[in-house]
Amino acid sequence: MRDSWEIRLGGSGGQGLITGGIILAEAAILEGKQAVQSQSYGPESRGGSSKAEVIISKENIDYMKVRAADLLLVMSPEAAKKYVDDVKEEGIIILDSTYVKDCEPKKGKVYKVDISRIARQDVGREVVANIVALGVIVGLTGVVSQEALEKAILARVPKGTEEMNKKALAAGFQAIKSVVNAA
């Protein structure tokens, strides 16, 4: 694993990206890494823009905002327009191809994954698309271990939803494996 990751999760309110950012940071902390998480969102509770940023490092973190993302997750067309150019040249862009259709970034390695469709069809509820997305991110990058991620998810999700979230996480791991193997 590289020494540090600057990660931005962009989408719409209600997609659970802020919760996803918190879970990712907590998973890193479980592994003894340094992590900071910040968030911003529009005044709407659902449908407005939403952004979570996570910086994970083996060293102390001096600046708590993502300057240029090593990894960008885009789950809405608006987030694509807003953030796709703020990725490092060798960065990773994961597009939720369920909703993000016309986006061809000029830099970075792009992975198109039907995250929301997988949550809806394979898991049964689109509300867990954020957990599918975390599985995709960790399955692709290894930024944290799968075990630490699952532990952080289970500590954060509402009681009674643990099995659904474990299924969503497994679906994310499988989805990125399929995308990478098809490339």
Side-chain angles (χ1 to χ4, degrees), residues 23 113 118 120 131 162:
I23 289 169
V113 185
I118 290 167
R120 187 172 51 248
I131 305 301
E162 295 91 349

Side-chain angles (χ1 to χ4, degrees), residues 42-60:
E44 309 88 348
S45 60
R46 295 206 176 272
S49 64
S50 174
K51 173 183 74 170
E53 294 183 341
V54 182
I55 300 174
I56 297 172
S57 180
K58 293 179 181 176
E59 307 294 325
N60 287 338

Side-chain angles (χ1 to χ4, degrees), residues 25-64:
E26 288 173 345
I29 291 167
L30 286 172
E31 294 187 326
K33 298 173 185 164
Q34 303 292 311
V36 294
Q37 186 273 334
S38 63
Q39 58 204 30
S40 67
Y41 44 88
E44 309 88 348
S45 60
R46 295 206 176 272
S49 64
S50 174
K51 173 183 74 170
E53 294 183 341
V54 182
I55 300 174
I56 297 172
S57 180
K58 293 179 181 176
E59 307 294 325
N60 287 338
I61 298 168
D62 297 326
Y63 189 71
M64 296 179 22

Side-chain angles (χ1 to χ4, degrees), residues 18-177:
I18 291 170
T19 300
I22 292 167
I23 289 169
L24 193 55
E26 288 173 345
I29 291 167
L30 286 172
E31 294 187 326
K33 298 173 185 164
Q34 303 292 311
V36 294
Q37 186 273 334
S38 63
Q39 58 204 30
S40 67
Y41 44 88
E44 309 88 348
S45 60
R46 295 206 176 272
S49 64
S50 174
K51 173 183 74 170
E53 294 183 341
V54 182
I55 300 174
I56 297 172
S57 180
K58 293 179 181 176
E59 307 294 325
N60 287 338
I61 298 168
D62 297 326
Y63 189 71
M64 296 179 22
K65 298 292 284 177
V66 170
R67 295 180 188 120
D70 295 299
L71 183 139
L72 171 66
L73 169 71
V74 178
M75 292 189 61
S76 74
E78 297 77 21
K81 289 178 194 141
K82 206 171 196 178
Y83 303 122
V84 80
D85 292 329
D86 295 333
V87 175
K88 290 180 180 162
E89 199 66 42
E90 68 287 354
I92 297 168
I93 301 170
I94 300 170
L95 302 175
D96 180 354
S97 52
T98 307
Y99 297 118
V100 182
K101 302 291 185 193
D102 299 318
C103 181
E104 296 301 326
K106 294 173 181 58
K107 55 187 172 180
K109 174 86 172 116
V110 178
Y111 295 88
K112 296 179 180 182
V113 185
D114 279 333
I115 293 168
S116 295
R117 183 199 56 76
I118 290 167
R120 187 172 51 248
Q121 291 181 355
D122 297 358
V123 184
R125 304 239 0 241
E126 192 168 331
V127 71
V128 294
N130 61 336
I131 305 301
V132 174
L134 290 177
V136 169
I137 290 168
V138 170
L140 181 63
T141 66
V143 63
V144 296
S145 70
Q146 294 182 6
E147 296 76 21
L149 180 60
E150 182 174 319
K151 190 172 183 181
I153 289 167
L154 295 178
R156 176 68 54 181
V157 299
K159 296 291 177 230
T161 67
E162 295 91 349
E163 289 307 312
M164 178 177 60
N165 280 283
K166 284 167 70 172
K167 186 175 180 183
L169 182 60
F173 292 145
Q174 183 56 48
I176 194 58
K177 198 179 294 180

